[in-house]
């Protein structure tokens, strides 16, 4: 079984690596787009653009029905059982069903756009909302195909499709805004990115990854209803959770729409854009872990605990140092990306990133455990706790502390929900937490911050130099301390090197990084 666990770990690491790489590249590209939009439009128009896309983002939540998670889970588990005919059917019928819902939602949005404009307290934005709502159907196709790629262990295609979407949105938005289309141009770019990437993903999925079989066609009529019932039954608790989670950032902006100015919303969104990078990176891990935990559904609690602790360790290893770095460099980051006009964005960024430090108690991985093991009600309960607290605290804190109060409310609600999830996982699933390596990760993340902090406090370098030199110092100290404190071992480094061999663009960097750590292990501990 230890050999099977090692293979499961390697497969999960491979999926995580591709999703993380794709999410990182897409996040960087979208960050460039957000920066350019923020500079080209200015705080007020940029705030208007972000208020408008709240509506389609909210509406898209009602098309999911938990099917994205269901597709990933059942495709992974059925593939392991050799039932490829059901795999193809699940992907096809979930997509058809969700497209139908997406069309209905889009029509509703187009007809009642003036009423939706009242939700954001901007009745004059009805045309903008109609335009943005055209993206709903294509967002449905985009997310469904990416979920299928992950379940099929073809995470590289999910990463590719995500990157293509980011590139298209950036090119279209920047081009149209430069040519004086203002908010309208930004919205057209937003819709266009989803249109092209959804079509590309569908063609890639059905004509390259899936190979049509006669057997699938023969079982279409008798299996379609059963497949939808299976997905909906599993997915409804997940769907409630997805709706609530998707509602959190939208609700924050809705609260700010009533208590804050457009400029404050622009600052909030500028900070939120960068914090979203971290959220997207962490989502890459949790998405990759879902099919792996699905394969461990019948395993013992000891085996599940062993993989969970490995998964949580790898998540902390990447997310925690990035969060700490973002907190340290929040001021130069905002100055570089948005300029001096975004006066409160640095503080908001630091507060927003602090929530990722809860990773040590499984805040970013336990959802994959619950969903993979079929305990989707626990996921729903976690989200309900988060939702109720945020619903109460956000407007209450916003009255007195504006945007800062909204973010503090988010941190408190997230912390409470994460503690609940950890306690339930331990008591009901008999999951055992191992903090030995994770505490070391937090320790070296803090120690690595000392050199750049000293530079920030005792020098007056340009913010670009601060980011470059300080970031390099942080990375150098961090990767040096990892093998020094035995956070990574020889086998883990070799596994990562094997995975990166498939990606020529980063192989050189990976060899430098992991080669350096191998030498550290060899010289200090004699591991050859």
């Amino acid at each position: 079984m230890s050999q099977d666990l090692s293979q499961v770990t390697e497969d999960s690491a491979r999926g995580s690596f591709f999703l993380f790489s794709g999410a990182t590249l897409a996040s960087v590209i979208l960050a460039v787009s957000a920066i350019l939009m923020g500079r080209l439009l200015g705080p007020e128009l940029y705030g208007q653009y972000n208020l408008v896309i709240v509506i389609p983002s909210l509406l898209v939540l009602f098309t999911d029905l938990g099917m994205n998670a269901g597709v990933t889970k059942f495709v992974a588990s059925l593939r392991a059982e050799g039932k490829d005919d059901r795999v193809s059917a699940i992907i096809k019928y979930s997509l058809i069903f969700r497209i139908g819902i997406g069309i209905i939602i889009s029509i509703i949005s187009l007809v009642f756009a003036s009423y939706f404009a009242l939700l954001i307290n901007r009745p004059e934005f009805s045309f903008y909302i109609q335009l943005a709502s055209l993206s709903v159907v294509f967002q449905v196709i985009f997310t469904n195909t990416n979920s299928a790629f992950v379940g099929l262990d073809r995470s590289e295609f999910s990463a590719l499709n995500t990157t293509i979407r980011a590139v298209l949105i950036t090119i279209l938005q920047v081009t149209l805004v430069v040519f004086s289309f203002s908010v309208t141009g930004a919205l057209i770019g937003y819709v266009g990115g989803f249109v092209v990437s959804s079509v590309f993903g569908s063609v890639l999925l059905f004509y390259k990854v899936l190979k049509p079989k006669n057997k699938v066609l023969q079982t279409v009529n008798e299996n379609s209803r059963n497949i939808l019932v299976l997905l909906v039954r599993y997915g409804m608790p997940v769907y409630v959770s997805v709706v609530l989670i998707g509602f959190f950032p939208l609700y924050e902006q809705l609260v700010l729409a009533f208590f804050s100015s457009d400029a404050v919303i622009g600052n909030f969104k500028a900070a939120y854009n960068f914090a979203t990078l971290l959220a997207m990176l962490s989502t890459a891990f949790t998405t990759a872990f879902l099919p792996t935990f699905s394969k461990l559904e019948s395993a013992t609690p000891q085996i599940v605990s062993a993989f969970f602790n490995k998964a949580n360790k790898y998540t902390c290893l990447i997310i925690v140092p990035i969060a700490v770095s973002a907190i340290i460099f929040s001021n130069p980051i905002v100055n570089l990306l948005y300029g001096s006009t975004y006066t409160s964005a640095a503080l908001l960024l630091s507060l927003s990133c602090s929530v990722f430090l809860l990773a040590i108690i499984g805040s970013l991985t336990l959802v994959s455990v619950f969903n993979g093991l079929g305990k989707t009600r626990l996921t729903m309960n976690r989200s309900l706790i988060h939702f109720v607290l945020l619903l109460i605290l956000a407007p209450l804190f916003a009255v007195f502390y504006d945007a800062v109060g909204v973010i503090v409310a988010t941190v408190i609600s997230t912390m409470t929900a994460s503690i609940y999830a950890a306690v339930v996982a331990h008591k009901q699933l008999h999951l055992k937490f191992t903090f030995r390596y994770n505490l070391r990760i937090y320790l070296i993340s803090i120690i690595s911050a000392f050199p750049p902090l000293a530079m920030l406090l005792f020098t007056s370098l340009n913010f670009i130099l601060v980011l470059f030199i300080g970031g390099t110092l942080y990375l150098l100290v961090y990767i040096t301390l990892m093998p020094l404190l035995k956070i990574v071992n020889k086998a883990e480094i070799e596994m990562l090197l094997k995975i990166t061999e498939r990606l020529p663009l980063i192989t050189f960097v990976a060899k430098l990084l992991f080669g350096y750590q191998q030498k550290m292990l060899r010289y200090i501990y004699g591991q050859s």
Side-chain angles (χ1 to χ4, degrees):
M1 180 56 72
S2 61
Q3 184 177 1
D4 293 340
L5 184 60
S6 298
Q7 184 60 48
V8 167
T9 302
E10 184 174 342
D11 292 341
S12 180
R14 176 184 175 277
S16 300
F17 182 81
F18 281 119
L19 290 176
F20 178 81
S21 301
T24 301
L25 182 57
S27 298
V28 170
I29 294 169
L30 288 175
V32 171
S33 176
I35 294 162
L36 293 174
M37 289 301 96
R39 286 184 173 274
L40 291 171
L41 293 174
E44 185 172 351
L45 292 179
Y46 187 57
Q48 291 178 10
Y49 162 75
N50 284 288
L51 276 177
V52 170
I53 62 175
V54 164
I55 300 302
S57 299
L58 180 61
L59 293 174
V60 126
L61 297 176
F62 295 98
T63 68
D64 184 84
L65 299 181
M67 286 194 174
N68 282 336
V71 167
T72 299
K73 172 182 168 56
F74 289 113
V75 166
S77 58
L78 290 172
R79 281 185 70 249
E81 298 171 9
K83 299 178 180 179
D84 291 338
D85 55 333
R86 295 201 70 195
V87 167
S88 299
I90 281 177
I91 293 172
K92 290 179 180 178
Y93 289 118
S94 65
L95 182 58
I96 292 171
F97 183 71
R98 288 196 63 209
I99 287 176
I101 296 176
I103 291 173
I104 294 172
I105 294 294
S106 295
I107 293 173
I108 292 173
S109 179
L110 289 170
V111 173
F112 298 101
S114 59
Y115 294 99
F116 287 122
L118 296 176
L119 289 177
I120 58 175
N121 200 29
R122 304 294 191 276
E124 68 276 14
F125 287 178
S126 58
F127 168 73
Y128 288 158
I129 290 174
Q130 288 177 323
L131 179 59
S133 296
L134 297 176
S135 69
V136 171
V137 174
F138 299 101
Q139 288 191 56
V140 164
I141 300 172
F142 175 81
T143 56
N144 215 87
T145 52
N146 278 1
S147 296
F149 286 137
V150 175
L152 291 164
D153 284 333
R154 302 306 298 268
S155 300
E156 62 270 29
F157 291 141
S158 175
L160 175 63
N161 201 27
T162 302
T163 303
I164 288 174
R165 176 184 67 93
V167 170
L168 288 169
I169 287 177
T170 301
I171 293 174
L172 290 172
Q173 286 189 329
V174 171
T175 301
L176 292 171
V177 171
V178 166
F179 282 95
S180 302
F181 285 92
S182 190
V183 176
T184 301
L187 292 173
I188 293 174
Y190 175 81
V191 174
F194 279 108
V195 171
V196 178
S197 59
S198 64
V199 173
F200 172 80
S202 298
V203 172
L204 191 62
L205 176 63
F206 289 105
Y207 290 95
K208 181 174 179 63
V209 180
L210 292 178
K211 296 180 180 179
K213 299 179 180 179
N214 292 332
K215 186 177 181 181
V216 177
L217 298 176
Q218 293 170 359
T219 58
V220 162
N221 293 330
E222 58 179 330
N223 285 337
S224 58
R225 182 178 181 276
N226 294 336
I227 287 170
L228 292 177
V229 169
L230 175 70
L231 289 172
V232 172
R233 183 177 298 167
Y234 167 85
M236 281 310 296
V238 179
Y239 172 59
V240 174
S241 179
V242 167
V243 170
L244 294 178
I245 291 173
F247 182 70
F248 296 155
L250 307 179
Y251 177 65
E252 291 170 349
Q253 293 186 60
L254 288 173
V255 170
L256 290 174
F258 284 92
F259 295 103
S260 305
S261 65
D262 289 343
V264 170
I265 294 173
N267 275 272
F268 175 85
K269 189 61 180 179
Y272 182 78
N273 283 338
F274 195 88
T276 301
L277 298 180
L278 266 177
M280 292 177 68
L281 298 181
S282 63
T283 299
F285 286 99
T286 56
T287 302
F289 295 149
L290 175 56
T292 304
F293 282 114
S294 298
K295 299 172 186 176
L296 298 176
E297 190 169 359
S298 59
T300 64
Q302 290 77 15
I303 294 174
V304 175
S305 295
F307 181 75
F308 164 74
N309 285 300
K310 282 181 175 289
N312 208 37
K313 169 188 167 181
Y314 296 145
T315 302
C316 289
L317 199 61
I318 300 297
I319 298 300
V320 171
I322 296 177
V324 172
S325 300
I327 293 171
I328 295 171
F329 296 115
S330 60
N331 195 54
I333 286 173
V334 170
N335 280 328
L336 174 65
L337 300 184
Y338 295 100
S340 58
T341 56
Y342 289 79
T343 55
S344 60
L347 173 61
L348 300 177
L349 173 59
S350 295
L351 291 172
S352 298
C353 290
S354 65
V355 74
F356 294 97
L357 300 179
L358 296 169
I360 192 171
I361 60 173
S363 65
L364 303 176
T365 50
L366 282 175
V367 170
S368 295
V369 176
F370 296 156
N371 292 345
L373 300 182
K375 307 296 183 181
T376 52
R377 287 190 176 275
L378 297 180
T379 300
M380 181 179 69
N381 293 341
R382 178 187 183 276
S383 299
L384 283 171
I385 292 172
H386 191 168
F387 171 75
V388 171
L389 286 174
L390 185 64
L391 195 68
I392 297 171
L393 296 178
L396 184 64
F397 286 11
V399 171
F400 298 101
Y401 304 108
D402 212 341
V404 171
V406 172
I407 294 178
V408 170
T410 300
V411 173
I412 293 173
S413 58
T414 303
M415 183 186 302
T416 306
S418 299
I419 293 173
Y420 160 81
V423 172
V424 168
H426 177 67
K427 289 186 175 180
Q428 294 189 20
L429 304 181
H430 308 290
L431 207 64
K432 294 184 178 180
F433 289 76
T434 301
F435 295 110
R436 180 177 59 178
Y437 293 112
N438 291 344
L439 287 173
R440 295 179 189 178
I441 292 171
Y442 278 71
L443 176 63
I444 67 172
S445 296
I446 295 172
I447 293 175
S448 302
F450 289 159
L453 274 176
M455 187 180 62
L456 283 168
L457 292 173
F458 300 111
T459 67
S460 56
L461 295 175
N462 179 274
F463 56 81
I464 297 178
L465 291 176
V466 168
L467 285 173
F468 178 76
I469 298 174
T472 303
L473 287 173
Y474 188 96
L475 178 62
L476 182 61
V477 176
Y478 185 75
I479 64 172
T480 301
L481 292 177
M482 281 169 58
L484 189 64
L485 295 185
K486 297 184 179 180
I487 296 173
V488 292
N489 56 41
K490 177 175 176 288
E492 290 172 323
I493 293 175
E494 289 179 346
M495 178 182 69
L496 292 172
L497 278 170
K498 180 181 177 182
I499 293 171
T500 56
E501 286 176 354
R502 294 189 175 188
L503 300 172
L505 293 177
I506 65 172
T507 298
F508 177 73
V509 176
K511 285 183 177 180
L512 284 178
L513 172 63
F514 299 132
Y516 171 70
Q517 292 185 326
Q518 283 180 322
K519 289 181 180 179
M520 290 286 296
L521 287 172
R522 184 164 56 248
Y523 290 140
I524 298 174
Y525 300 108
Q527 296 185 20
S528 57

